[in-house]
Amino acid sequence: MGHGQQEKVATSLPGAVTEAVGASLAPVDAELERRYPGDPGTRQPVHTVYVPGDAFAADTVRAWGDRALAALDEHAPDAASFAAVLGLTDELAGPVYDRVRAKLEREPVEDLRVDFEDGYGPRPDAEEDATAARAARLIAEAYEKGTAAPYMGIRMKCMEAPVRDRGIRTLDIFLTGLMEAGGLPEGLVLTLPKVTYARQVTAMVRLLEEFEKARGLAPGRIGFEIQIETSQAILATDGTATVARMIQAAEGRATGLHYGTFDYSACLGVSAAYQSSDHPAADHAKAIMQVAAAGTGVRLSDGSTNVLPVGPTEKVHDAWRLHYGLTRRALARAYYQGWDMHPAHIPTRYAAVFAFYREGFEQAAARLSRYAGHASGDVMDEPATAKALSGYLLRGLDCGALTPTEVTRESGLTRHELEGFARPRRGDLTASGQ
């Protein structure tokens, strides 16, 4: 065949066959779109800080930042000493340390939950009523003044019979207080703990529906996180993955799955000394959570460590190394969020996050640049890999590990272009790859 001559194309199947296949799969197409909408494209915080309801104050966010800075000043006053504790390379030491201090001064807490569950405990009803109303007032004022964390909300008591009514009342008082103060903030997050049955999630959905109706809110306005703290939340009595049922029972309102390190470990009989987020039991639970949440738009959060960085410098350094290692381990396993229980945990949270994104961003940017330009390289990337690379860069931008200038310089792509690769249409991931 001569150069430029058009290839003859022949087919055997009549068009009606393709139409019939499409018609038969139309319900599946609709189901995929409904159940697996993909990542919502919003910012995911790198951590969640839990503060007991009675300890929450107007200056809590700033106070945590100041205490974290004081811990750095006392136990690692410069980049070299901090890097020596954590094993950071010379190349990373300065940029990470400088960014940690800047973050603690600018935005020390990314997500704060006022706790009315284990961290608060049982109280007289009048006391919890007042505390819930106060939390609503303080959070509303913080958003109005610009001093709020990007995300804030409460963890209510669970749906189990002994505390159910109390949890519902606290939720009602808190949400009503926000509405009376001007409306629900965009960064509002609610956490439902100790979920064991999908019907408890359904009950939460019905509660929020009724609140939305009562206050004239758009249907579906209020979402919530599901905390995975029991074995029943992972495996049902019939052997199926309960957590997958819970996501569907949320009817699109589930925003996250949070692993509860210590309640889950205790539920399985793990001795207190071995209760940790890197225990095999934790890895199993989180792997089930990860598969159940994949593609649904529900984000994942790891748990916490209860080893606090307090006391003499040697002890603080040991706790920092543990926390840094656990955080880096979670990041490598695609758990981009975790809990922090003490202000002195925050420096190593941000150090781990910033190091994770800074040490790999030049390579990720270069690979994505080659992919976008259809250039050859030593790695053959596909649409799914481009999605992962762009998601990595976007998360680095969101938390402050990377700047828009350096990402655009290395990748040649704007944030808008990165978002296009991070959230492709469903067919784009399979059209040219496997």
Side-chain angles (χ1 to χ4, degrees):
M1 182 176 294
H3 180 68
Q5 190 172 353
Q6 190 171 6
E7 187 76 36
K8 182 179 179 181
V9 177
T11 63
S12 301
L13 296 174
V17 172
T18 301
E19 293 175 4
V21 170
S24 70
L25 291 179
V28 173
D29 296 337
E31 185 85 347
L32 282 171
E33 290 297 327
R34 183 175 69 84
R35 293 187 183 274
Y36 300 100
D39 189 85
T42 55
R43 174 183 178 182
Q44 180 180 10
V46 302
H47 70 169
T48 300
V49 164
Y50 280 73
V51 178
D54 57 333
F56 177 59
D59 66 345
T60 291
V61 171
R62 185 63 263 155
W64 273 60
D66 291 342
R67 291 174 64 187
L69 284 166
L72 273 182
D73 290 339
E74 181 177 358
H75 303 293
D78 53 46
S81 58
F82 197 47
V85 174
L86 304 181
L88 297 175
T89 64
D90 292 341
E91 183 180 10
L92 284 173
V96 167
Y97 190 77
D98 291 345
R99 280 169 172 76
V100 168
R101 293 198 70 97
K103 181 77 169 180
L104 295 176
E105 292 166 358
R106 181 185 75 255
E107 188 183 71
V109 175
E110 290 197 357
D111 183 29
L112 186 145
R113 208 71 70 252
V114 183
D115 190 21
F116 287 90
E117 204 229 359
D118 286 348
Y120 184 73
R123 306 288 181 99
D125 283 340
E127 181 179 345
E128 184 160 340
D129 284 356
T131 304
R134 177 173 170 273
R137 175 176 59 81
L138 293 177
I139 287 176
E141 289 174 356
Y143 277 104
E144 182 179 355
K145 295 176 181 177
T147 58
Y151 298 94
M152 299 184 80
I154 66 168
R155 176 169 73 169
M156 58 190 281
K157 289 178 171 63
C158 70
M159 286 291 181
E160 293 178 356
V163 295
R164 182 186 303 136
D165 291 352
R166 180 63 260 180
I168 293 171
R169 181 172 173 82
T170 296
L171 177 67
D172 188 8
I173 291 171
F174 176 71
L175 293 177
T176 300
L178 290 176
M179 292 298 297
E180 295 294 320
L184 304 182
E186 286 301 315
L188 174 67
V189 188
L190 306 174
T191 305
L192 179 65
K194 292 185 176 60
V195 184
T196 53
Y197 282 81
R199 287 194 296 274
Q200 294 169 330
V201 175
T202 300
M204 183 69 166
V205 171
R206 298 288 90 80
L207 280 175
L208 297 178
E209 283 179 342
E210 291 302 320
F211 187 88
E212 289 164 351
K213 291 176 184 176
R215 302 299 306 211
L217 295 170
R221 166 63 181 86
I222 310 172
F224 60 97
E225 303 166 333
I226 301 170
Q227 199 156 14
I228 306 301
E229 302 178 88
T230 68
S231 61
Q232 295 93 336
I234 295 297
L235 196 68
T237 54
D238 62 359
T240 58
T242 319
V243 66
R245 295 180 183 176
M246 292 176 180
I247 292 174
Q248 299 309 316
E251 299 176 21
R253 293 179 185 264
T255 59
L257 299 176
H258 283 231
Y259 175 69
T261 304
F262 305 105
D263 281 283
Y264 187 84
S265 298
C267 182
L268 268 62
V270 178
S271 298
Y274 298 96
Q275 293 177 0
S276 174
S277 61
D278 61 352
H279 190 280
D283 284 342
H284 172 261
K286 288 184 287 186
I288 299 296
M289 292 165 59
Q290 193 168 44
V291 174
T296 65
V298 177
R299 266 77 176 269
L300 301 169
S301 177
D302 200 358
S304 61
T305 174
N306 59 359
V307 179
L308 303 184
V310 297
T313 295
E314 182 179 0
K315 186 177 178 182
V316 170
H317 285 181
D318 286 342
W320 273 353
R321 277 188 285 268
L322 173 65
H323 185 242
Y324 178 87
L326 291 173
T327 303
R328 285 301 305 261
R329 184 180 189 272
L331 289 167
R333 286 159 172 76
Y335 267 74
Y336 299 114
Q337 185 176 351
W339 297 3
D340 288 324
M341 300 180 69
H342 191 276
H345 278 141
I346 303 182
T348 39
R349 168 69 60 183
Y350 290 133
V353 170
F354 294 167
F356 176 75
Y357 290 115
R358 291 206 63 79
E359 68 187 15
F361 104 87
E362 290 184 357
Q363 182 183 31
R367 286 178 65 179
L368 192 56
S369 177
R370 287 195 298 270
Y371 178 87
H374 304 285
S376 60
D378 57 353
V379 178
M380 182 178 291
D381 287 324
E382 298 184 348
T385 307
K387 177 181 177 181
L389 291 168
S390 55
Y392 173 86
L393 295 175
L394 287 168
R395 284 190 293 270
L397 285 168
D398 285 342
C399 69
L402 309 175
T403 67
T405 299
E406 62 187 350
V407 170
T408 299
R409 183 187 67 234
E410 296 296 329
S411 69
L413 301 169
T414 64
R415 182 183 180 105
H416 179 72
E417 290 169 324
L418 289 175
E419 290 172 345
F421 284 115
R423 287 172 281 281
R425 293 169 300 176
R426 182 178 303 279
D428 292 344
L429 292 179
T430 56
S432 59
Q434 298 182 9

